[in-house]
């Protein structure tokens, strides 16, 4: 797990904090961004193995950020993680590599990351 | 007759209780006898600055000729006396031919027998009422003393004419006031505009003795077709003249009549007098009112009166109408407001279901995730006894339970089976369109409905289906920037041996950009600054859940048509299962 970098993008500080702790515990290196602009800035400077992206954020939202990032780095894996449960399938088949409904149980998120990383 | 006695007689009749015309005739008769005048004729001045032969002594013969022409003030001897208000005296040697006026060709032969002439102004200090014309065959001249006597008598006649004028005008005013007060009563009543205009027409027609009165209201004002209300009979070919005159009145923004309107060569203008005036309030044109009077030979009064009255009426009507319509509008608005309030709440609910979901998700779900997430972390980090870990378990489980309740709320398009109840899509669309009926951004939208009257009902969740149509119709409205035509067509069709109802919604909004058309059903895909991009995604999901489908026909540059297919029979219904 050493050296695997994950970017968590969410506008809620406590969510960022929760994901950071949970993912660091798994051995990942975690960086944080609080909206789409910050995320793009980070992606420009660092190569991330996975990006976990919230959808509804002020400034630039997750869908826009995702599109821009995919335009910059075509093969960049992105997991959308939002409160909407409705469009799970639409999202995964449309633009993002996976879609996870935000939950207090971070098991699904962790498993999805592993799937993408093939570990 | 001695002058004092004569004057006494004259004053007696002129102050008598006789009717005005009789009084003047009596004065003329008395003075012509008493002072040996064969002719004693009174011209009165009309509002159009012309002099009309009005009264005469019984013996008068010149009257017949003088009566034929109305001379202008300033024209000939008679006209110049009226203008200068100075008496003129002539004898048979110096009297100008035809009294200085070209229009009395036969006059000279008749005048030959007269030797003395007097032309006296009938005026008071401020106003000229007419001219008194006197001719005598028996006397050669008029003495200075007689001139004084004549000036006193002419003043006396002027006084009677003045009283006559006042009387007539006050009668007229009283009539007008009565009319206006009647109009006022009607206008301040809460009658519907239609009834109101009918009454107005009647009152005006009666007060002016008009053949017909027609009021045309502008469509801008009524937000409908232009409407005409006529009292009396308005038929062809007069109607053409009325239409033309109305246009002219609107163009000039003032009263116009057929006469000064132009060259009406045919007999219309000689048979009728038409007046049209714009009904304007605060520079807004509400319509026109046109009055038609028969043109009787001598009805100059109608012309003069109408011009003034029609203006007054128009002002009155304008104010009244504005009030009445405001009133009616107000009532409507109040009535609508209650409905609209309900509708807006509905509409908002439908329109922003996507946004609402997003908000709920963030307002409740995020904190919930945080609480639950950290509770779990707490449990991991702490060494707890049995009781403590039971507490922690309770919190975690309750959070997860709340989360799943919330997920149910958020997934409002549930994969629940479509209910058994059936709905008619024609009614469904009508109910949806009703939501927009009080929305002013829909004022320039045209909705064409082409319903199949025999449309079968379909099993559906009516609230969800309504939401689909709302989304599609709002998209159409947005694509056309609120201006264009939405054509809604319903029909039945067969696909794969199954019966379907198809609702198509076509707009004239220029169509969908081909580069984005593959994405429009994707959640959060939007090309709008303030769109959430959920409308079609949700709609698609709803229709798929109903075993139907949405298809698009897109003509770039023209518009898009959305076809919503719904099965008439639920394919997984009991019959098939049995
Ligand atoms: N009738 C139409 N004409 C042209 N483009 C359309 C039409 N209907 C939809 N679109 C395109 O499809 C996109 C997605 O529509 P959709 O209803 O899903 O989202 P939206 O209207 O942008 O936002 P909202 O969530 O407020 O409905 C629109 O942004 C628009 O570009
Ligand atoms: Mg967010
Ligand atoms: Mg929409």
């Amino acid at each position: 797990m050493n050296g695997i970098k994950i970017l968590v993008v969410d506008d809620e500080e406590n969510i960022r904090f929760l994901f950071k702790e949970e993912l660091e515990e798994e051995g990942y290196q975690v960086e944080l961004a609080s909206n789409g602009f910050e995320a793009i800035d980070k992606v420009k400077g660092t190569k991330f193995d996975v990006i976990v992206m919230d959808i509804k954020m002020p400034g630039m939202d997750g869908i826009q950020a995702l599109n821009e990032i995919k335009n910059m780095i075509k093969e960049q894996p992105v997991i959308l993680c939002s409160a909407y449960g409705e469009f799970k399938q639409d999202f995964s088949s449309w633009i993002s590599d996976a879609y996870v409904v935000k939950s207090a149980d971070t098991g699904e998120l962790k498993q999805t990351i592993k799937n993408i990383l093939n570990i | 007759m001695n002058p004092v006695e004569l004057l006494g007689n004259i004053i007696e009749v002129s102050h008598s209780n006789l009717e005005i015309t009789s009084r003047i005739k009596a004065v003329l008769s008395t003075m012509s006898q008493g002072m040996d005048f064969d002719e004693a004729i009174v011209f009165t001045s009309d509002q159009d600055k012309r002099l009309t032969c009005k009264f005469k002594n019984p013996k008068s013969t010149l009257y017949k000729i003088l009566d034929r022409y109305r001379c202008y003030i300033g024209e000939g001897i008679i006209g110049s006396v009226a203008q200068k208000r100075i008496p003129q005296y002539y004898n048979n040697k110096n009297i100008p031919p035809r009294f200085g006026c070209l229009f009395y060709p036969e006059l000279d032969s008749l005048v030959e027998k007269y030797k003395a002439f007097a032309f006296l102004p009938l005026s008071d200090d401020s106003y000229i009422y007419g001219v008194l014309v006197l001719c005598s065959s028996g006397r050669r001249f008029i003495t200075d003393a007689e001139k004084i006597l004549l000036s006193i008598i002419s003043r006396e006649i002027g006084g009677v004419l003045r009283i006559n004028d006042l009387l007539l005008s006050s009668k007229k005013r009283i009539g007008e006031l009565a009319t206006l007060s009647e109009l006022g009563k009607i206008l301040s009543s809460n009658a519907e505009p239609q009834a109101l205009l009918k009454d107005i027409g009647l009152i005006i027609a009666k007060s002016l003795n008009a053949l017909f009165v027609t009021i045309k209201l502008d469509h801008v004002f009524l937000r409908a077709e232009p409407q005409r209300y006529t009292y009396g009979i308005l038929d062809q070919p007069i109607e053409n003249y009325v239409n033309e005159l109305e246009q002219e009145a609107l163009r000039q923004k003032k009263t116009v009549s057929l006469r000064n309107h132009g060259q009406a060569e045919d007999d219309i203008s000689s048979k009728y007098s038409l007046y049209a005036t714009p009904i304007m309030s605060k520079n807004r044109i509400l319509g026109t009112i046109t009055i038609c009077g028969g043109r009787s030979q001598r009805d100059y009064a109608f012309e003069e009166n109408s011009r003034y009255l029609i203006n007054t009426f128009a002002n009155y009507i304008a104010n009244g109408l504005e009030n009445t319509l405001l009133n009616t509008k107000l009532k409507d608005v109040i009535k609508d407001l209650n409905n609209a309030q309900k509708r807006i709440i509905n509409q908002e609910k439908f329109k922003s279901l996507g946004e609402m979901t997003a908000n709920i998700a963030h307002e409740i779900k995020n904190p919930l995730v945080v609480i639950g997430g950290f509770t779990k972390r707490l449990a991991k980090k702490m060494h707890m006894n049995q009781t403590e870990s039971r507490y922690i378990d309770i919190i975690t489980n309750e959070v997860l339970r709340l989360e799943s309740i919330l997920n149910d709320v958020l997934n409002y398009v549930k994969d629940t089976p479509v209910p058994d109840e059936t709905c008619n899509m024609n009614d469904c669309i009508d109910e949806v369109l009703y939501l927009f009926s009080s929305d002013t951004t829909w004022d320039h939208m045209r909705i064409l409905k082409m319903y199949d009257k025999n449309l079968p009902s379909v099993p559906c969740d009516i609230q969800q289906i309504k939401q689909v149509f709302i989304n599609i119709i709002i998209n159409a409205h947005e694509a056309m920037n609120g201006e264009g035509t939405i054509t809604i067509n319903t029909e039945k069709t067969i696909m794969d041996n199954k019966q379907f109802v198809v609702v198509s919604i076509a707009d004239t909004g220029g169509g969908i950009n081909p580069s984005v058309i593959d994405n429009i059903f994707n959640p959060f895909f939007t090309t709008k600054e303030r769109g959430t991009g959920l409308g079609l995604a949700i709609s698609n999901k709803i229709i798929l859940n109903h075993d139907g489908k949405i298809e698009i026909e897109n003509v770039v540059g023209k518009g898009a048509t959305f076809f919503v297919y719904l099965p008439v029979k639920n394919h997984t219904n009991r019959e098939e299962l049995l």
Side-chain angles (χ1 to χ4, degrees):
Chain A
M1 297 272 163
N2 248 354
I4 295 180
K5 278 193 185 142
I6 297 181
L7 175 64
V8 171
V9 191
D10 199 300
D11 59 329
E12 297 234 358
E13 192 187 348
N14 288 335
I15 295 276
R16 290 197 300 270
F17 182 36
L18 175 69
F19 285 4
K20 186 177 157 74
E21 294 236 314
E22 291 278 297
L23 295 178
E24 277 177 353
E25 213 171 58
E26 299 285 302
Y28 302 117
Q29 250 177 280
V30 180
E31 290 212 24
L32 304 174
S34 64
N35 62 45
F37 293 117
E38 277 185 31
I40 289 168
D41 272 355
K42 291 255 160 141
V43 168
K44 279 177 184 159
T46 319
K47 184 188 177 308
F48 292 98
D49 298 279
V50 177
I51 298 174
V52 177
M53 180 83 78
D54 181 27
I55 290 181
K56 201 180 175 195
M57 293 179 290
M60 187 191 280
D61 69 28
I63 303 285
Q64 276 174 285
L66 190 151
N67 277 321
E68 299 225 353
I69 289 170
K70 289 265 182 185
N71 278 340
M72 280 159 46
I73 311 159
K74 221 179 135 210
E75 60 284 358
Q76 171 69 61
V78 178
I79 300 171
L80 276 177
C81 176
S82 99
Y84 295 97
E86 189 93 58
F87 305 106
K88 222 170 137 88
Q89 273 148 15
D90 301 296
F91 277 121
S92 357
S93 59
W94 176 33
I95 34 174
S96 69
D97 300 275
Y99 186 91
V100 175
V101 182
K102 255 189 218 177
S103 169
D105 184 350
T106 51
E108 195 193 347
L109 178 64
K110 289 175 193 161
Q111 188 54 50
T112 309
I113 292 172
K114 279 185 186 154
N115 290 349
I116 284 181
L117 294 172
N118 266 321
I119 42 176
Chain B
M1 199 186 290
N2 110 23
V4 179
E5 202 178 322
L6 178 69
L7 207 57
N9 287 346
I10 284 174
I11 287 172
E12 199 178 321
V13 278
S14 76
H15 288 243
S16 70
N17 283 334
L18 287 174
E19 193 241 329
I20 301 280
T21 325
S22 319
R23 273 194 248 174
I24 294 176
K25 282 181 181 163
V27 170
L28 294 179
S29 162
T30 309
M31 77 178 292
S32 65
Q33 281 166 23
M35 293 181 75
D36 192 14
F37 285 113
D38 306 80
E39 305 280 348
I41 297 167
V42 167
F43 282 77
T44 56
S45 84
D46 295 324
Q47 269 151 333
D48 62 352
K49 296 225 151 60
R50 291 175 84 170
L51 294 156
T52 310
C53 195
K54 260 281 179 45
F55 307 102
K56 59 173 182 74
N57 62 322
K59 277 196 330 199
S60 165
T61 50
L62 284 189
Y63 178 80
K64 279 191 230 79
I65 291 148
L66 294 176
D67 190 31
R68 279 183 212 154
Y69 181 72
R70 304 171 65 227
C71 66
Y72 286 97
I73 287 181
E75 187 182 22
I77 304 173
I78 299 166
S80 87
V81 167
Q83 187 177 46
K84 294 179 187 143
R85 304 190 194 179
I86 298 167
Q88 292 184 29
Y89 301 95
Y90 296 96
N91 55 43
N92 55 346
K93 305 240 163 51
N94 64 1
I95 181 84
R98 301 175 187 184
F99 289 173
C101 175
L102 289 174
F103 282 89
Y104 303 124
E106 304 101 323
L107 197 62
D108 291 342
S109 59
L110 284 170
V111 162
E112 268 173 10
K113 61 179 186 245
Y114 300 127
K115 299 190 178 88
F117 303 86
F119 299 85
L120 296 127
L122 302 172
S123 64
D124 59 20
D125 299 332
S126 55
Y127 195 77
I128 175 94
Y129 299 99
V131 175
L132 174 62
V133 179
L134 298 167
C135 311
S136 172
S137 56
R139 48 193 308 159
R140 297 192 170 195
F141 55 87
I142 295 163
T143 65
D144 284 350
E146 283 171 330
K147 285 179 184 171
I148 292 171
L149 185 61
L150 284 177
S151 83
I152 293 171
I153 294 172
S154 58
R155 267 200 168 251
E156 198 60 30
I157 297 174
V160 178
L161 285 175
R162 179 161 162 258
I163 291 167
N164 190 32
D165 255 27
L166 288 176
L167 218 74
L168 283 180
S169 72
S170 60
K171 253 194 205 158
K172 210 174 77 186
R173 290 285 175 276
I174 288 168
E176 284 165 25
L177 277 177
T179 307
L180 288 179
S181 100
E182 265 190 83
L183 277 182
K185 243 190 264 165
I186 287 177
L187 287 169
S188 59
S189 76
N190 275 341
E192 292 295 310
Q194 277 84 342
L196 200 83
L197 290 167
K198 230 171 92 189
D199 287 348
I200 292 172
L202 179 126
I203 290 173
I204 294 175
K206 286 210 165 139
S207 88
L208 284 177
N209 212 356
L211 292 180
F212 65 77
V213 171
T214 176
I215 297 169
K216 185 173 158 193
L217 290 189
D218 215 41
H219 61 288
V220 183
F221 180 54
L222 284 177
R223 297 182 83 202
E225 294 296 302
Q227 295 195 43
R228 179 184 292 292
Y229 303 90
T230 306
Y231 177 81
I233 298 159
L234 168 61
D235 50 10
Q236 296 280 358
I238 288 209
E239 198 175 339
N240 296 339
Y241 283 94
V242 170
N243 283 332
E244 245 179 76
L245 209 61
E246 283 169 345
Q247 302 277 314
E248 187 65 26
L250 291 179
R251 245 195 314 275
Q252 295 192 20
K253 292 196 177 158
K254 64 172 198 191
T255 305
V256 292
S257 68
L258 186 59
R259 196 180 41 180
N260 66 15
H261 169 50
Q263 52 293 336
E265 295 97 355
D266 50 50
D267 45 353
I268 292 284
S269 68
S270 57
K271 266 200 251 160
Y272 306 103
S273 45
L274 275 178
Y275 287 86
T277 203
I279 303 174
M280 290 191 296
S281 87
K282 297 178 210 117
N283 277 332
R284 187 157 78 127
I285 288 179
L286 310 181
T288 50
I289 169 167
T290 306
I291 298 179
C292 175
R295 176 162 289 176
S296 64
Q297 207 190 345
R298 266 286 169 91
D299 211 352
Y300 311 110
F302 180 83
E303 299 192 17
E304 295 314 317
N305 276 348
S306 340
R307 189 174 284 278
Y308 157 78
L309 274 180
I310 192 174
N311 274 327
T312 318
F313 289 153
N315 284 339
Y316 228 74
I317 294 170
N319 289 331
L321 227 48
E322 188 98 26
N323 284 343
T324 316
L325 280 147
L326 272 179
N327 221 322
T328 330
K329 235 183 180 171
L330 204 67
K331 268 196 247 159
D332 287 351
V333 165
I334 290 170
K335 208 171 72 191
D336 279 356
L337 220 60
N338 291 322
N339 293 338
Q341 201 177 8
K342 284 183 215 147
R343 250 176 287 157
I344 284 166
I345 292 168
N346 267 333
Q347 203 174 327
E348 279 305 305
K349 199 163 77 192
F350 284 122
K351 206 175 167 179
S352 58
L353 212 50
E355 285 133 285
M356 249 173 53
T357 327
N359 286 337
I360 294 171
H362 276 81
E363 298 312 314
I364 302 174
K365 194 154 189 196
N366 279 335
L368 206 59
V369 167
V370 171
I371 293 168
F374 281 105
T375 310
K376 284 184 136 197
R377 295 199 57 68
L378 206 61
K380 240 190 249 174
K381 296 237 149 138
M382 281 192 351
H383 301 284
M384 292 175 293
N385 61 31
Q386 236 184 337
T387 326
E388 287 165 341
S389 48
R390 209 183 136 209
Y391 293 165
I392 291 282
D393 282 350
I394 290 174
I395 296 176
T396 323
N397 286 334
E398 286 304 294
V399 166
L400 291 179
R401 191 161 75 98
L402 265 181
E403 258 189 40
S404 91
I405 292 171
L406 203 55
N407 282 345
D408 273 356
V409 175
L410 297 183
N411 297 354
Y412 49 82
V413 186
K414 297 180 198 95
D415 293 334
T416 47
V418 175
D420 279 339
E421 64 190 21
T422 59
C423 295
N424 187 293
M425 286 303 109
N426 293 346
D427 300 339
C428 175
I429 300 231
D430 279 341
E431 279 170 46
V432 167
L433 290 175
Y434 182 68
L435 298 175
F436 307 116
S437 62
S438 65
D439 188 334
T440 53
T441 66
W442 282 72
D443 283 357
H444 301 289
M445 296 287 295
R446 233 160 67 90
I447 312 265
L448 287 181
K449 294 194 268 192
M450 305 202 293
Y451 290 171
D452 180 344
K453 294 254 159 48
N454 303 313
L455 202 68
S457 295
V458 292
C460 67
D461 180 329
I462 184 71
Q463 290 311 324
Q464 292 192 356
I465 297 296
K466 271 193 194 169
Q467 199 186 319
V468 170
F469 292 134
I470 289 168
N471 285 334
I472 294 175
I473 291 173
I474 288 178
N475 280 349
H477 176 255
E478 285 168 348
M480 297 187 287
N481 286 320
E483 207 165 340
T485 305
I486 295 180
T487 310
I488 302 176
N489 183 77
T490 63
E491 61 190 27
K492 38 188 184 295
T493 185
I494 307 274
M495 266 192 327
D496 304 332
N497 287 327
K498 284 173 198 149
Q499 226 194 333
F500 282 83
V501 161
V502 198
V503 178
S504 72
I505 299 169
D507 63 56
T508 56
I512 305 162
N513 189 335
S515 66
V516 306
I517 197 160
D518 289 340
N519 287 330
I520 63 171
F521 286 109
N522 285 323
F524 297 103
F525 177 82
T526 182
T527 55
K528 295 165 193 168
E529 215 163 289
R530 313 199 67 185
T532 52
L534 283 175
L536 288 178
I538 289 170
S539 302
N540 196 33
K541 229 180 144 83
I542 290 172
I543 297 301
L544 287 176
N545 197 36
H546 277 77
D547 291 328
K549 62 170 179 177
I550 301 181
E551 284 184 351
I552 302 170
E553 194 177 283
N554 189 42
V555 183
V556 179
K558 281 188 94 175
T561 307
F562 284 76
F563 297 86
V564 178
Y565 290 81
L566 286 168
V568 174
K569 252 190 196 170
N570 205 338
H571 301 314
T572 54
N573 67 12
R574 273 176 235 104
E575 260 168 77
E576 275 174 18
L577 291 175
L578 286 174

